[in-house]
């Protein structure tokens, strides 16, 4: 998989300097840093920074916010837990972190629209997408609803849910993006859908009160 290499405002060396400045607070021990030095981080930034920036921009619609999320994602990689990293590729981990952070920002300014009030997962069908004429507006509302419904969810679950319910990915495509089997993706989505229906019910009851 290749990505465009459009230059970002933050130079990789500047990112490394920020890591050095914050190292005492970010890392509890030298062992945590052993697998990712400044040069490795700079290399990852050159390879994946533009793709993460585009990802954040597609969700937030603001260049500066997208840049902030991109920078924060690389810094967060320094302290990513073993459970988040697992056997996933660096890009997969960064993609989850960037999506999580962008949706968190989106959540802060979102109000429940009810577009995803009847979330359900069907392993034999993709989530229905809006027609071309209403796709942009519906996608915005769906993303905002999803941001609210995913509060407290882990980055992997949040990312899978966003890809499926908002962006129209198939479970196979989600699996390829997140380094997961199609079966695992299905289980994640089915469990999330149940929690999301319970949450949306409470949201509707709150609006009616």
């Amino acid at each position: 998989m290749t990505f465009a290499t459009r230059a970002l405002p933050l130079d990789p060396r500047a990112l490394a300097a920020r890591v050095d400045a914050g190292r005492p607070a970010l890392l509890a021990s030298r062992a945590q840093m052993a697998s990712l030095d400044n040069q490795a981080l700079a290399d990852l930034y050159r390879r994946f920074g533009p793709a993460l920036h585009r990802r954040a921009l597609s969700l937030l619609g603001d260049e500066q916010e997208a840049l902030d999320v991109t920078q924060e994602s690389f810094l967060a990689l320094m302290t990513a837990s073993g459970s988040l990293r697992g056997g996933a590729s660096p890009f997969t981990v960064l993609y989850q972190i960037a999506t999580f952070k962008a949706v968190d920002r989106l959540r802060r300014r979102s109000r429940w629209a009810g577009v995803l009030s009847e979330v359900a997962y069907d392993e034999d069908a993709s989530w229905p997408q809006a027609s071309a004429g209403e796709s942009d507006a519906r996608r915005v509302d769906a993303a905002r609803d999803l941001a609210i419904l995913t509060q407290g969810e882990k980055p992997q679950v949040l990312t899978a849910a966003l890809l499926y319910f908002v962006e129209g990915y198939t479970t196979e495509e989600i699996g390829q993006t997140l380094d997961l089997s199609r079966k695992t993706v299905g289980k994640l989505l089915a469990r999330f859908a149940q929690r999301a229906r319970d949450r949306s019910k409470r949201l509707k009851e709150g609006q009616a009160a």
Side-chain angles (χ1 to χ4, degrees):
M1 186 177 294
T2 58
F3 303 93
T5 56
R6 180 172 66 84
L8 292 179
L10 179 66
D11 185 272
R13 290 169 296 182
L15 180 66
R18 286 188 61 184
V19 170
D20 278 334
R23 193 183 301 270
L26 285 170
L27 301 173
S29 69
R30 294 180 64 183
Q32 287 178 281
M33 188 58 191
S35 63
L36 192 64
D37 59 21
N38 286 355
Q39 184 58 50
L41 190 66
D43 289 343
L44 288 174
Y45 190 84
R46 291 189 187 93
R47 291 176 62 194
F48 304 134
L52 295 189
H53 182 261
R54 289 196 303 274
R55 175 59 172 162
L57 184 60
S58 72
L59 292 169
L60 296 168
D62 182 276
E63 284 279 355
Q64 185 56 52
E65 275 201 298
L67 178 60
D68 290 344
V69 165
T70 302
Q71 296 177 17
E72 291 169 6
S73 298
F74 280 92
L75 294 175
L77 182 65
M78 305 292 293
T79 52
S81 67
S83 61
L84 178 59
R85 289 188 182 184
S89 68
F91 177 73
T92 296
V93 176
L94 284 164
Y95 186 88
Q96 291 181 55
I97 293 173
T99 300
F100 184 86
K101 288 184 173 294
V103 170
D104 184 58
R105 286 176 177 245
L106 186 63
R107 184 182 299 119
R108 298 173 200 171
R109 57 177 185 251
S110 294
R111 298 182 64 180
W112 179 247
V115 172
L116 296 183
S117 59
E118 300 297 332
V119 167
Y121 169 68
D122 182 349
E123 64 179 354
D124 296 320
S126 59
W127 182 252
Q129 298 297 301
S131 62
E134 62 177 356
S135 59
D136 288 345
R138 186 187 182 285
R139 183 181 180 279
V140 170
D141 285 340
R144 290 172 177 168
D145 279 2
L146 198 284
I148 294 170
L149 291 174
T150 54
Q151 185 167 10
E153 296 286 351
K154 295 180 179 179
Q156 188 179 71
V157 176
L158 181 152
T159 304
L162 184 73
L163 291 174
Y164 184 80
F165 293 110
V166 177
E167 300 183 332
Y169 278 50
T170 65
T171 52
E172 184 175 356
E173 290 169 334
I174 295 171
Q176 292 172 352
T177 302
L178 300 182
D179 292 339
L180 298 172
S181 69
R182 185 175 181 273
K183 183 177 181 180
T184 299
V185 171
K187 288 181 178 179
L188 287 177
L189 291 173
R191 292 168 183 167
F192 167 75
Q194 180 58 57
R195 294 192 295 272
R197 286 194 296 273
D198 293 340
R199 290 167 186 162
S200 65
K201 182 179 179 180
R202 291 194 295 270
L203 286 166
K204 286 189 288 186
E205 290 172 348
Q207 286 181 331

